[in-house]
Amino acid sequence: MLDAAKRKEMLRQMILVRAFEEKLEDLYQRKAMFGSTHSYRGQEAIAVGVCSALQRSDLIASYHRGTGHLIAKGADLYALLCECMGRADGYSKGRGGKMHMGDMGFGFIGNTGTVGGTVPTATGAALAAKTRGSKEVVVSFFGDGAANQGVVHEAMNLAGVWKLPVIYVCENNQYAMTVSLEKSVAIKHLSDRAAGYGFEGKTLDGNDVEAVYEATQAAAAKARSGGGATFLECITYRWDGHFGGDPGTGYRSKEEIEAWKQKCPIKRLKERLAQEENFTEQEFEKISAAVYAELDEVAKRAEAAPLPKKEVDLNSIYAVTEAAHG
């Protein structure tokens, strides 16, 4: 069982992830950022549970709904928010936006808006770690919609063949845009597919941060010892629409949404701490207030940050030319 300090820190991180998503929604509605948002509200336990079980040197690859992963892995809030807002102080100097950034300084390989695209990237990084003989574990986050992409199956097959130190974390939030999982796959648990690749698959409660932590810890230990890959299917639910302009209704009932909100991962850990650690409402409010105050200050700085200069667009662009034959 985790000690009280670790559990409270995980609670703080989940509050931070949610507060960041709410800040992004506010900026989006005020047209203070470029592009759209892909809210992570309701799924906070997965990012925090997984990343809390990793070492600093371990790597993660994320996707379009990935700011929570970055925060949980140790991203700088100012640089992260600046990138989401297209500001020059962002991780990609304001050129990548919310879905295209990376920083190996805290073990973040990168993310992409291409559905399923970071699964082979993470698999390649795991192959590199095994080739080097290092002990890094690589985590690939992706959604249930990405699970049906061909490249995902190809990458996992190779991970099984080569026994790579990779953990595939499927955030099964029930819907790929507007299509429910039950209408797009014929099996009950996506983790059952892992057997076909030759490694272990496990389905768990993705709203229980401690369950996610324990499963990731076991998978990481296995990977580090040469035992190969693991597929973790984390059952969860996104509270909001697929993107900023999607109200999230029409294809989902209000009753379904409300029922899942009652399974809030933050609420669950808060209540568990109250029962087992005498955690008070005053302590919770103090932590929450500090998190929201911190983000307000970060947002003020980010909104005042400069936009990238036009000439920066030509930086980091390379061309390979074939030498003339004479």
Side-chain angles (χ1 to χ4, degrees):
M1 184 176 178
L2 294 170
D3 62 35
K6 178 76 170 181
R7 298 165 90 191
K8 289 179 182 179
E9 174 57 21
M10 292 166 78
L11 177 66
R12 188 195 70 82
Q13 287 190 21
M14 287 197 290
I15 295 170
L16 178 58
V17 170
R18 180 166 299 178
F20 193 92
E21 294 301 319
E22 292 172 355
K23 180 61 69 176
L24 284 182
E25 179 61 21
D26 172 64
L27 293 168
Y28 173 75
Q29 294 298 335
R30 292 194 285 111
K31 302 186 186 304
M33 64 176 286
F34 299 99
S36 186
T37 59
H38 294 85
S39 178
Y40 197 67
R41 289 203 312 157
Q43 301 180 211
E44 298 90 353
I46 303 174
V48 173
V50 169
C51 292
S52 294
L54 301 177
Q55 297 178 4
R56 178 75 178 179
S57 58
D58 292 333
L59 308 175
I60 67 170
S62 184
Y63 64 112
H64 58 273
R65 203 177 306 282
T67 46
H69 310 141
L70 278 69
I71 292 170
K73 190 63 170 67
D76 178 84
L77 294 178
Y78 174 69
L80 177 58
L81 191 55
C82 278
E83 191 57 47
C84 291
M85 297 176 67
R87 305 288 173 162
D89 290 344
Y91 276 114
S92 296
K93 310 302 180 186
R95 295 175 295 174
K98 185 176 181 291
M99 294 190 287
H100 302 92
M101 61 180 111
D103 190 326
M104 292 295 286
F106 64 99
F108 176 48
I109 299 173
N111 61 341
T112 176
T114 302
V115 177
T118 48
V119 176
T121 301
T123 305
L127 175 60
K130 181 171 183 177
T131 301
R132 289 193 304 269
S134 57
K135 293 296 182 180
E136 293 99 342
V137 171
V138 186
V139 172
S140 173
F141 292 98
F142 58 99
D144 50 284
N148 289 331
Q149 292 291 324
V151 70
V152 172
H153 299 286
E154 294 170 19
M156 289 188 183
N157 180 62
L158 289 176
V161 171
W162 294 331
K163 282 192 172 298
L164 300 183
V166 59
I167 306 172
Y168 297 108
V169 178
C170 178
E171 300 189 310
N172 183 354
N173 63 18
Q174 318 295 313
Y175 289 87
M177 292 189 70
T178 61
V179 179
S180 67
L181 187 68
E182 63 184 15
K183 294 181 180 179
S184 58
V185 299
I187 56 177
K188 184 177 181 180
H189 299 303
L190 290 171
S191 63
D192 289 345
R193 293 178 175 176
Y197 310 129
F199 51 83
E200 180 185 8
K202 183 177 181 180
T203 297
L204 59 146
D205 185 347
N207 282 11
D208 185 338
V209 68
E210 293 182 88
V212 175
Y213 173 90
E214 291 169 2
T216 304
Q217 192 175 51
K222 175 185 173 183
R224 245 181 274 280
S225 65
T230 302
F231 185 121
L232 299 179
E233 178 188 14
C234 300
I235 306 298
T236 187
Y237 196 83
R238 58 171 165 84
W239 288 9
D240 304 300
H242 175 68
F243 60 95
D246 172 20
T249 56
Y251 57 93
R252 307 187 302 178
S253 70
K254 293 181 179 179
E255 292 76 16
E256 178 182 291
I257 297 171
E258 186 56 37
W260 272 96
K261 284 187 175 182
Q262 296 307 310
K263 303 175 184 179
C264 171
I266 294 175
K267 176 184 176 184
R268 181 177 296 187
L269 183 56
K270 173 189 171 184
E271 291 176 347
R272 193 176 291 168
L273 285 171
Q275 294 171 0
E276 300 173 3
E277 305 290 352
N278 296 316
F279 186 68
T280 66
E281 185 66 30
Q282 289 73 24
E283 288 181 89
F284 178 78
E285 292 299 333
K286 183 178 180 180
I287 293 172
S288 296
V291 164
Y292 279 86
E294 178 186 9
L295 267 179
D296 284 343
E297 288 302 313
V298 170
K300 287 180 183 178
R301 291 174 56 205
E303 288 196 71
L307 293 169
K309 295 179 180 180
K310 291 182 179 179
E311 51 266 30
V312 174
D313 291 341
L314 297 178
N315 291 347
S316 302
I317 296 177
Y318 304 91
V320 177
T321 58
E322 184 178 357
H325 296 285

